[in-house]
Amino acid sequence: QAQVVESGGGLVQPGGSLTLSCAASGTIFSFYVVGWYRQAPGKQRELVAIITTGGITNYAESVKGRFTISRGNAETPVSLQMNSLKPEDTAVYYCYMDVLEMGGRRNYWGQGTQVTVSS
C-alpha cells in the first residue's frame, strides 16, 4: 500500500510564494492523474490543479496564472508552485494520486499541509 506525504506548507505574506511537494512511497507501477486540492475552514474541498500522464493540466479559475503544477519523478511525482499568494488561498492543501499498484488501480490522498497567507 502506498503512502502519500505533502510538504512545503507554511505561513507567508500576501504576494509571497510557496512550493508544495508530494512524496510517494510503496510499490507504485505508474501514476495517472496527480494533483492538488484544498479545503478552507467551513468550506468543501476543492480542486486546485491536476495534471495527467500526458501533461494536460486543469486549474481552478481562482489560481490560473499564479499556480503551476508539475510532474516529477517516482519519489516526488507532483509539485505545486504558488506565486502571488492571497489570503483567500489559506487552506489545507491535499495531494491526490491515481496510481497503478500491486493490487490494481487506486486513489490516494495525503494528510494535508497547511498554507496560511497573512500579513
Side-chain angles (χ1 to χ4, degrees):
Q1 190 170 359
Q3 290 189 326
V4 176
V5 179
E6 304 94 338
S7 63
L11 173 64
V12 63
Q13 292 186 343
S17 299
L18 282 175
T19 301
L20 304 184
S21 295
C22 186
S25 61
T27 306
I28 297 175
F29 298 138
S30 61
F31 297 87
Y32 298 110
V33 174
V34 293
W36 296 89
Y37 287 72
R38 68 186 180 187
Q39 187 167 18
K43 295 187 177 181
Q44 290 188 331
R45 190 173 296 189
E46 63 176 3
L47 170 73
V48 177
I50 56 172
I51 184 168
T52 69
T53 304
I56 298 172
T57 58
N58 184 28
Y59 292 92
E61 285 295 327
S62 61
V63 307
K64 282 183 179 179
R66 300 187 297 121
F67 291 10
T68 303
I69 189 171
S70 58
R71 293 184 73 108
N73 57 29
E75 288 74 33
T76 311
V78 63
S79 298
L80 184 69
Q81 175 67 42
M82 305 186 294
N83 298 325
S84 303
L85 283 161
K86 304 175 180 180
E88 51 263 43
D89 294 317
T90 295
V92 177
Y93 284 69
Y94 297 91
C95 178
Y96 166 82
M97 294 187 183
D98 177 10
V99 307
L100 178 63
E101 58 178 10
M102 186 71 72
R105 192 163 177 171
R106 184 170 177 175
N107 298 333
Y108 285 95
W109 292 91
Q111 292 189 331
T113 185
Q114 177 70 48
V115 172
T116 303
V117 185
S118 174
S119 56

